[in-house]
Structure formats: C-alpha cells, structure tokens
Amino acid sequence: MKSNLMKYTLSSAFLISAMLLAISAGSVSVPISEIIKIIGSEVFYLPIDNNVDSMYVSIVYDIRLPRVILAGFVGASLAIAGAAFQGLLRNPLADPYILGVSSGASVGAVSTLFFNISIPFLGMYTLPFLSILTALATIMIVLFFAKKIDKTMRVESIILTGVIFSSFLGSAVSLIIALTGEELQQIMGWLLGSVSMRGWRYVGIILPFLLVGGLLLLINTRELNAMSLGEDRAQHLGVDVGKRKMLILMSGSILTGAAVAVSGTIGFVGLVIPHLTRKLWGPDHIYLLPLSIITGAGFLILTDLLSRTIISPQVLPVGVITALVGAPVFAMILVRQRKRR
C-alpha cells in the first residue's frame, strides 16, 4: 500500500512541478506565489488579491494556463493509448504513431481543415469527430491487412503493416498540402505538432474525449493484464478477448484522434512514457495506465516548455522535440528485443 502511495505521490509531484514551471517560465517570468494566488482565486471563485499585477493575471489565465492544460491533456491521451496498445499487442514498440493511428487521424483532421468541413449538429467537435473516425478506420484496416498477411497476426506483422500504412497516409497528407493555397501555413503549423495559441476552446474540445476514452481503458485494466499473458490464456481466465480487444482499440483511437485534432501529429509520446513508467513502477496495468496519464501529461508540458524557450523568441514545434527524444528510445527498445531473441 505504501509503495502504491509513493508511486502516485512522486508522479503527481512531477506533474504539479512541471505545470508550475511551465506557467512561470517565459519571456515574462511569473513568480510561483503569484501563480498559486491567481489559480486559487479562479478555482475557488475568490477575489484576486489587489497586490497581484493585472499583467500576471492576463499572462497566466489567458495564455499559459490553457496551453499547459492542453499539453497535459494531449500527453495524457497519447500516453494511456500507447500503454494500452503495448499491453494488448504484448510489445513495447506498439504506440499510436507506429501503428499508423496518428497518421490516420491526421488525414481526417487535414481533410477537415482543407475542405472546411463543418457538420451542423457537431459544430466545433467536427474536427475531433472526423479525426477519431479516420483513426478508428486506420487501425481496423491495419488489423485486416495484418491478418491477410499473417493469419496468426504476430505482433511484428501488425507493427510492420502499421508502418506501411503510416507512410501511405503520410503521403496522402503531403498531397493535400501540395494542393493547399492560403491554408498552407495553418495546416503546416498544425501538422508539425503544437499546442501554442489554442486557448480554452481547444481544452474544451479534447476534454470529453479524454474522459470517455480514458475511462473505457481504465475499466479494462484487469483484462489488459490477462491479455498481456497471451490471448489463449486470457480466454481461459474468462476474458471475452474479441470484445475487449475491439473496445481497447476503439478507446485508444478515440484518445489519439482527439489529441491529433487539437495539437497535430506529436509522435513517440505513446512509446516513451509507457516504457519509462513500466520500468519505474512495473507492468501491472491497474497502476500502469493511471500513472502513464500523470507522467505523460507532465512530460508533454515540459517538452512544450522546452520547445518555446530553447531558441526563444523562436518556437519549435513540440513534435520535433518528442521525435528527438523518442527515436533513440525506439531504437534502444528494438536493439534490446533483438538481443533477447
């Protein structure tokens, strides 16, 4: 019990520290004491202390806080989706980016922006809805072709098929960009991955999908533990493997599609964070999934902070930073797997 409490305490401390640091740092540094006063007044509907500079209030509440919360939600979504995919496929190399789910969501999002699609009864949720739809379609197609190639559906076959479809869908996105006129800058900025200049509206867009997708995965932690031992053994333990597999894939696609819709393609978060969390706290999905949410949120908040401060006043796309971190980790995991075999 003490060990589990320590896991959550340390992870939560990491997330809170990352949030305070990201809100404080920037071209104008905001003291942490002022941040606590401003956030406290907003949360508890208290009047703001007259000694707090109004400029700090504007910087924190209108600019940095929504950016930090959005980065946290995106990181949490990608991390828990990656942890679930890795458990389901029994391979630490599986994540939404590698399996092509992120690329599928990108096609839906870029098409929505390019053709200016708006579904009347969905309004601002048109973009995440179509991203989720194409993400879900992509994972279904990947699994279908993987089964055609290899009837036993070995993990290597699924990952290889995912990489092929990811390349194909990346080409489709490039084609749309080549045909783009005035929307080019907007789509390119979105495609490289960023949470800047999004505001509270985008926080509201991703939140319901994070809650639904995250909850669906959290109620399947015991089933993921069983399926990580192999589908046959899970079936003997009473798990409805087909139904649970579909539910987990759908939940991961919901989370990935919503994250891609609000922030663009940010790769390797779903690979690095579950791998790191598993190394630190163990493979039990009952703890791995919620801890991945917390750690993933903190990681992307810090990555976004690095992207906007490393070459200030220029801002790097956050997807570039995650790729620089994630690619070596991917290579390291691959080498270790080869050595074990």
Side-chain angles (χ1 to χ4, degrees):
M1 182 64 107
K2 286 183 180 178
S3 175
N4 293 334
L5 181 62
M6 186 183 71
K7 293 176 186 178
Y8 287 107
T9 302
L10 290 175
S11 298
S12 299
F14 166 67
L15 174 58
I16 293 166
S17 302
M19 290 182 70
L20 290 174
L21 182 62
I23 296 170
S24 174
S27 55
V28 175
S29 181
V30 181
I32 289 176
S33 59
E34 304 292 280
I35 295 169
I36 293 170
K37 288 178 186 176
I38 294 165
I39 294 176
S41 67
E42 293 294 339
V43 171
F44 299 107
Y45 299 101
L46 298 173
I48 295 176
D49 191 330
N50 291 329
N51 295 325
V52 177
D53 193 325
S54 60
M55 180 181 70
Y56 288 160
V57 176
S58 178
I59 289 171
V60 170
Y61 190 73
D62 297 327
I63 301 171
R64 292 187 189 163
L65 185 59
R67 178 171 183 159
V68 164
I69 291 174
L70 183 62
F73 283 174
V74 170
S77 299
L78 295 173
I80 189 175
F85 285 157
Q86 288 173 15
L88 181 67
L89 299 174
R90 305 186 303 284
N91 193 304
L93 292 175
D95 91 315
Y97 188 74
I98 302 298
L99 294 174
V101 181
S102 292
S103 297
S106 298
V107 171
V110 169
S111 300
T112 304
L113 294 171
F114 179 69
F115 295 108
N116 199 22
I117 300 169
S118 179
I119 301 172
F121 61 89
L122 288 176
M124 69 177 186
Y125 292 103
T126 299
L127 182 60
F129 175 77
L130 292 178
S131 292
I132 289 165
L133 209 61
T134 50
L136 191 57
T138 301
I139 193 65
M140 293 297 109
I141 293 169
V142 166
L143 292 174
F144 173 78
F145 275 93
K147 194 169 185 178
K148 287 287 183 185
I149 295 166
D150 179 4
K151 290 191 177 180
T152 59
M153 286 187 73
R154 286 178 299 175
V155 174
E156 291 84 353
S157 302
I158 295 173
I159 291 174
L160 183 59
T161 309
V163 170
I164 292 168
F165 270 88
S166 184
S167 301
F168 172 74
L169 293 170
S171 300
V173 170
S174 299
L175 176 62
I176 293 172
I177 290 171
L179 298 172
T180 304
E182 296 176 359
E183 301 92 346
L184 178 62
Q185 188 173 358
Q186 180 192 5
I187 290 177
M188 282 301 295
W190 172 89
L191 193 63
L192 291 170
S194 175
V195 290
S196 67
M197 305 305 290
R198 298 294 198 266
W200 289 108
R201 178 172 175 265
Y202 281 81
V203 173
I205 288 174
I206 191 175
L207 180 58
F209 298 103
L210 172 59
L211 292 175
V212 172
L215 184 61
L216 287 173
L217 289 181
L218 289 173
I219 62 178
N220 280 285
T221 51
R222 295 186 187 279
E223 286 76 10
L224 273 168
N225 279 342
M227 285 191 280
S228 64
L229 301 172
E231 292 185 9
D232 291 337
R233 294 182 71 178
Q235 206 130 25
H236 287 309
L237 292 169
V239 177
D240 187 340
V241 173
K243 180 182 174 183
R244 294 293 177 172
K245 184 189 285 187
M246 188 61 65
L247 186 59
I248 290 164
L249 289 172
M250 283 179 62
S251 303
S253 298
I254 288 170
L255 290 162
T256 306
V260 169
V262 298
S263 65
T265 307
I266 298 176
F268 296 107
V269 177
L271 174 78
V272 172
I273 297 305
H275 181 71
L276 177 64
T277 308
R278 195 179 292 107
K279 286 284 184 187
L280 286 173
W281 309 122
D284 187 346
H285 289 87
I286 293 171
Y287 304 109
L288 176 63
L289 263 59
L291 289 169
S292 292
I293 290 175
I294 299 168
T295 311
F299 171 76
L300 202 63
I301 288 168
L302 288 180
T303 307
D304 179 57
L305 171 63
L306 188 63
S307 74
R308 64 183 169 86
T309 56
I310 192 170
I311 55 169
S312 181
Q314 297 292 323
V315 178
L316 281 173
V318 69
V320 172
I321 306 293
T322 59
L324 288 172
V325 174
V329 174
F330 180 87
M332 181 186 71
I333 298 170
L334 186 62
V335 168
R336 281 185 179 178
Q337 281 196 323
R338 293 294 179 193
K339 281 184 178 178
R340 281 175 191 167
R341 287 175 188 174

